[in-house]
Amino acid sequence: MELENTECANAIDFLKDKKEAFDVIVGIDIIEHFSKAELMEFLNLVNQALKENGLAVFRTPNGDAPFGSTYYLGDFTHELVLNAFSAEQIMLASGFKDVLVANSFIKVPGIVKNTIRSIIWFFIALFSKIVLFASGKSIRHTLLTPNLIIKARKSQ
């Protein structure tokens, strides 16, 4: 099994001539830097660059996160923000299948710190879901972690 790590300054230009070249494409903190039009072009190119049943995995800030603006507005170069619904929507619109959008938890060194953070997070998430419910928004499939993980397979 060969593992190739490629970094590039312009992902769209890099992918333009790649057809069914990769088994997996991973993008960490990249998609929020595209405009909507650029993101759709990028995702279409990712789909084309993946081999049959290839996997795309992305991490991006979550617009539904409590204090989410700390993450998505914390970098002036961010062009857009997604939540679980919009992330699934754009992946399906780009021709992907088996789309899964999941929470992205961050662990820190130390079992005590992680335990305390987990307990605090439980109450923050519970309160946030109560607020959403009270405002009339469905809390079904609402993810609240600061980042989202998006996983999808190339359609055939």
Side-chain angles (χ1 to χ4, degrees):
M1 175 182 185
E2 182 180 329
L3 183 63
E4 177 185 334
N5 181 25
T6 303
E7 294 182 32
C8 58
N10 188 321
I12 291 175
D13 287 343
F14 174 80
L15 291 173
K16 281 187 177 172
D17 64 344
K18 307 290 190 285
K19 303 286 186 232
E20 298 187 359
F22 304 104
D23 294 308
V24 178
I25 295 176
V26 177
I28 305 297
D29 300 334
I30 179 176
I31 62 177
E32 62 273 11
H33 295 274
F34 293 115
S35 68
K36 288 180 181 179
E38 289 170 333
L39 179 57
M40 295 311 293
E41 179 183 8
F42 171 71
L43 292 175
N44 286 322
L45 289 169
V46 167
N47 200 339
Q48 290 175 17
L50 287 169
K51 294 178 183 176
E52 185 175 331
N53 283 318
L55 183 65
V57 180
F58 300 105
R59 184 181 77 177
T60 190
N62 178 9
D64 282 343
F67 311 106
S69 63
T70 302
Y71 303 96
Y72 58 80
L73 295 178
D75 184 339
F76 186 69
T77 64
H78 289 178
E79 293 286 328
L80 58 85
V81 63
L82 302 173
N83 67 10
F85 289 108
S86 59
E88 181 180 31
Q89 194 176 43
I90 62 164
M91 297 306 286
L92 293 171
S94 298
F96 287 92
K97 66 177 183 175
D98 301 331
V99 177
L100 173 68
V101 183
N103 286 306
S104 174
F105 291 101
I106 299 173
K107 291 188 176 187
V108 295
I111 191 164
V112 173
K113 259 188 187 175
N114 271 321
T115 302
I116 292 169
R117 285 174 56 148
S118 294
I119 292 167
I120 293 169
W121 179 252
F122 171 81
F123 288 106
I124 290 172
L126 177 63
F127 178 75
S128 297
K129 287 185 176 186
I130 290 169
V131 169
L132 289 171
F133 174 77
S135 70
K137 183 180 184 321
S138 170
I139 59 172
R140 192 173 59 98
H141 302 301
T142 298
L143 304 179
L144 298 172
T145 54
N147 290 299
L148 298 173
I149 301 294
I150 306 164
K151 182 180 102 171
R153 293 224 171 263
K154 176 182 178 139
S155 60
Q156 299 185 31

